[in-house]
Each structure stands twice: as C-alpha cells, then as structure tokens.
Amino acid sequence: MTEASLSVRANIGRPISVVELFTIGIGPSSSHTVGPMRAARAFAGSVADRDVARVTATLHGSLALTGRGHATDTAVLVGLSGWEPEKVDPDAVPDIVAGIAGTHRLMLDGERAIDFDPERDLVFDYGFLPGHPNGMTFVATLANGGDVTARYYSIGGGAIAEEGAVASRANVSLPFPFSSGEDMLALAAAQECSIADLERANEAAWRSPEDTDAFLDEVRQAMFDSIARGVRCDGILPGGLQVKRRAKALHTCLMERGPRSDPSAVFDWVSLWALAVNEENAAGGRVVTAPTNGAAGVIPAVLKYYEAFVHGATRAGARDLLLTASAIGSLYKKRASISAAEMGCQGEVGVACSMAAAGLAAALGGTPPQVENAAEIGMEHNLGLTCDPIGGLVQIPCIERNTMGAIKAINAAYLALHGDGSHVVSLDAVIETMRQTGEDMRSKYKETSQGGLAVNVVEC
C-alpha cells in the first residue's frame, strides 16, 4: 500500500451505502469542488464557537494545480460561509464569492463576520502532501493570538478525510457484506438472488425499503432534471476556453429528424444525454455525483437509454440499475479509488462506465455472473485512461469522454448478456489492475494539467 492510497485505507471494510455513491451537488468537480466545499464547511463548523479573527486556506497538489479551473477556490469560500453542496443554490454562488472579494469579509459558518481577503488568505501550494494529491490546510487565527489548524483530503466522489482523525465506521451490521466481486457472486448464488437484491437487503440496515426507493427515485429525477436543463441551455461555458454548449442544438436536430430506424439515432440520443449533463456540470449547475462529477453523465445517459429505448422498461428496473451500479461502485471505492488525482480518468469515467454497464445488464435481466462480466468489460477497456483537462477545466476532454463512457457501457452490457457469465478476467482482477495502473501512472497525467492534452493544445 503506497502513501497515496488514503482512499483505500479510508474505505476498506467500511459499509458503503447507495446514498454515498450517489449524492446531489453542484459542478464542476466532485473531488475539486464538492469535497473542498464539504471540508471548508466542516472546518468552519468546528471553529464556529471560537473567537476567530481570521482564516487562511491552503490548497495543495492537484487542488492547487487545477483549482481555479475546477472552482476549488470558489468552493472553499462558499464552504467557509457555511454552505453545503447539496443545499447551496448554484445561481447564488457568484454573488457569495463577489461579496467576499468586494468587502474582504466572510460570514464564517454563516454566523460570524471575519476578515478574509481571497488574494491573501487563499493560498495555492503546488507541492503534493504525502497523504493524498488533493490536500487542504485550514488555519483559524484566534483573537487571543492562538490558532486552530486542520488538514483535510478530498479522496474522490466528494468524500473527505481529516488528517489525524480516526476513520469512522458506520455502526451498522449488513446482512450480506461483501468487499470483492468474488464474495458478491458467492452471496448472490447462496441466496439465489440478484446483486440488486443483495444491495437492497444491505440498505435496509440504514433505512426502510420505502425510504431507499424514495431516495433512488429522487436520484433518478435529479439525473433527468440535469439532462433537461442541459438541453435547454446554450452559450459559452465559463473558464476561458470558449467551449460552446452543444446539447441544445443537438436536441433540436434530433427532434426535427423525428422517428428513424437508423441505428445511429440511438448513439445520438445517448450522446446527447451525456453531453447535457456534463455541460451542466461544467457550468457549475446541479448534478448527481455518480460516482464523481467529472463522470456524472454516464449513468444518467444509460438510465435514460433504458427507459427510452428498452421495451418493457419499468421503474423497478430503473431502481435495480441504480442499486446494482452502487454495488459495483462500492467495490472500486473499497479496493482502489474513484479519485482522478490518484487513478487518472480510469477512476472516474472508467468506474462510471463499469457501474452503468452492470446496472443496465441487471435491468435487462442479466444473471449475477453476467452483471459482473459487464462491469469487468466496462473497466477493462478504460484501463490507463488519463486525466489531462485543458486549463484545469472539466470541459476538454471530459464532456465528450462521458458520451464515450455511456456508449461503451451499453456495449459492455449487451456483450455480457450474449455470454453465460463465464470469462477469463474477473472484476476483482480488473479493479486491482486499475489500482496498479493508477499508482504507476505519472502524476502529470492525474488531474494536474501538466501532461497530455493539457500541454499539447494551445488554450484559446
């Protein structure tokens, strides 16, 4: 285990619920926006009852290198102001930030006004900390001259870990715990049930089945809402690359085309749905972290495909898709990482593709071995995928990469369903391969914008 494997140490053996795999927040990045906002909010809450005169926040490593493009600086200001990504209105964020910059005052945790000059008190440190590539250090200077310091890491998918804190273990006992694909398949065989059934039974350790269904329906609706917003909006995405939003024009074109037997129409619609979500994410809108923001368009596009193109699709099938995807996603969190700063984009779009492939195979009636095979195929053909965003923005190649991930997921599901579930490479083997590949990958290809397209394409 390397020092950079904080994500694995934080998650191995820990029960992971579907509500952790799918969270509703804002763009453009789960690890660089949602996680830092949660960390800043946590720190602000921890010192809210102290006589704080000033706060400084230092972003380290990947958070510094691509922080401005990923709106990490904005996220920290909003989090220190007491807002959480699930509750803040994306449209209100610019005014919150402008108010702090204009007055050099910040309402710490929404309660106490303190001096805060973003140019002075928000520091970008391009060096990497040993704990994780995504580090943050907060220092609160007290009126009496003392200070309070805390360090957090954004470990992927919006999750955070505080340095020195004892890793929490949910006080739940799952009826069917599994931390590997092998265990998952053995349990499904022993219980003569689906992977979705296993996941549903485990979720009952946290809440009632009715509440789980309500959450899944909320996630589904939030995914489809992000698609709907994405196809309504046009213009130029923020950040300076002059990237045009394409979903609205593509949607208009597809609507004018009307019903067609041309198979390419399916690809066009799936691509549209993924584009719509990730353009919305790049604009800082509300999306579902699934399992990250950079890969937020893959699962919604595949879910929409299931409901729009599969004859006999049901709400129960949609729920099974999401539950199965969650079960697969939990294995990646436990055995590797979903942080692009650790794994490259194979840990984001690759994992989302694997989750979506498994979910669709399940919704289409696949057996547990076929579902596991679909998940393996989905990742196997994303191994080595780098994270090299131009300008540190979640735009190029991220937006189009989601369309590729969604199409691959559908392909993987059908390939698996044409077999009997037996295959040479297991899901566990491909997850371990992804982890090793991520550790071997040079840091310049892991969300630092120091390699790949980020240095070979001249910014506009």
Side-chain angles (χ1 to χ4, degrees), residues 77-367:
L77 298 183
V78 175
L80 288 174
S81 299
W83 288 102
E84 298 172 342
E86 297 88 345
K87 297 179 180 179
V88 68
D89 179 358
D91 294 332
V93 169
D95 289 338
I96 296 172
V97 174
I100 296 169
T103 64
H104 291 175
R105 301 284 284 174
L106 182 149
M107 290 296 294
L108 185 65
D109 202 33
E111 299 290 338
R112 177 186 179 87
I114 63 170
D115 291 332
F116 192 96
D117 179 356
E119 295 296 323
R120 177 195 66 189
D121 298 323
L122 186 55
V123 180
F124 289 77
D125 169 26
Y126 302 113
F128 287 83
L129 300 176
H132 192 280
N134 295 332
M136 295 158 279
T137 302
F138 297 94
V139 179
T141 301
L142 306 180
N144 64 9
D147 59 58
V148 179
T149 300
R151 178 167 288 166
Y152 296 84
Y153 298 98
S154 181
I155 61 175
I160 59 174
E162 183 178 359
E163 187 172 87
V166 177
S168 63
R169 292 288 182 267
N171 188 26
V172 297
S173 178
L174 303 184
F176 304 112
F178 55 86
S179 295
S180 70
E182 182 180 10
D183 290 345
M184 179 182 71
L185 289 177
L187 283 169
Q191 298 299 315
E192 298 183 340
C193 70
S194 69
I195 293 170
D197 290 336
L198 289 179
E199 191 75 353
R200 181 176 292 280
N202 285 339
E203 292 299 318
W206 279 286
R207 71 196 73 83
S208 70
E210 293 77 17
D211 286 344
T212 293
D213 283 344
F215 173 77
L216 294 171
D217 292 345
E218 180 185 7
V219 166
R220 170 191 172 276
Q221 189 59 54
M223 288 179 170
F224 288 176
D225 285 347
S226 64
I227 291 174
R229 286 193 304 271
V231 300
R232 287 197 306 266
C233 298
D234 57 11
I236 304 297
L237 290 170
L241 288 182
Q242 301 301 307
V243 174
K244 293 181 180 180
R245 296 180 72 143
R246 291 179 285 173
K248 182 177 180 179
L250 177 55
H251 181 254
T252 299
C253 178
L254 292 177
M255 292 299 289
E256 291 174 349
R257 180 192 297 178
R260 290 184 56 180
S261 59
D262 183 351
S264 70
V266 176
F267 298 131
D268 286 340
W269 279 104
V270 173
S271 295
L272 164 68
W273 297 326
L275 277 177
V277 174
N278 281 85
E279 287 178 353
E280 188 67 15
N281 177 64
R286 191 167 300 285
V287 298
V288 177
T289 302
T292 67
N293 281 29
V298 176
I299 294 175
V302 173
L303 178 59
K304 188 74 171 176
Y305 163 82
Y306 167 71
E307 295 199 13
F309 286 103
V310 174
H311 179 71
T314 64
R315 181 61 58 87
R319 291 168 180 162
D320 283 351
L321 189 156
L322 292 172
L323 283 170
T324 304
S326 172
I328 300 303
S330 72
L331 295 179
Y332 284 97
K333 290 198 71 168
K334 290 176 180 179
R335 304 183 70 84
S337 171
I338 59 171
S339 167
E342 288 187 291
M343 296 289 112
C345 199
Q346 60 174 0
E348 293 205 25
V349 168
V351 171
C353 178
S354 181
M355 292 169 63
L360 179 59
L364 294 174
T367 64

Side-chain angles (χ1 to χ4, degrees), residues 49-91:
D49 60 348
R50 309 289 293 272
D51 191 8
V52 177
R54 175 185 169 193
V55 169
T56 60
T58 301
L59 306 176
H60 305 281
S62 180
L63 293 184
L65 288 162
T66 64
R68 289 186 174 89
H70 285 73
T72 309
D73 46 357
T74 292
V76 168
L77 298 183
V78 175
L80 288 174
S81 299
W83 288 102
E84 298 172 342
E86 297 88 345
K87 297 179 180 179
V88 68
D89 179 358
D91 294 332

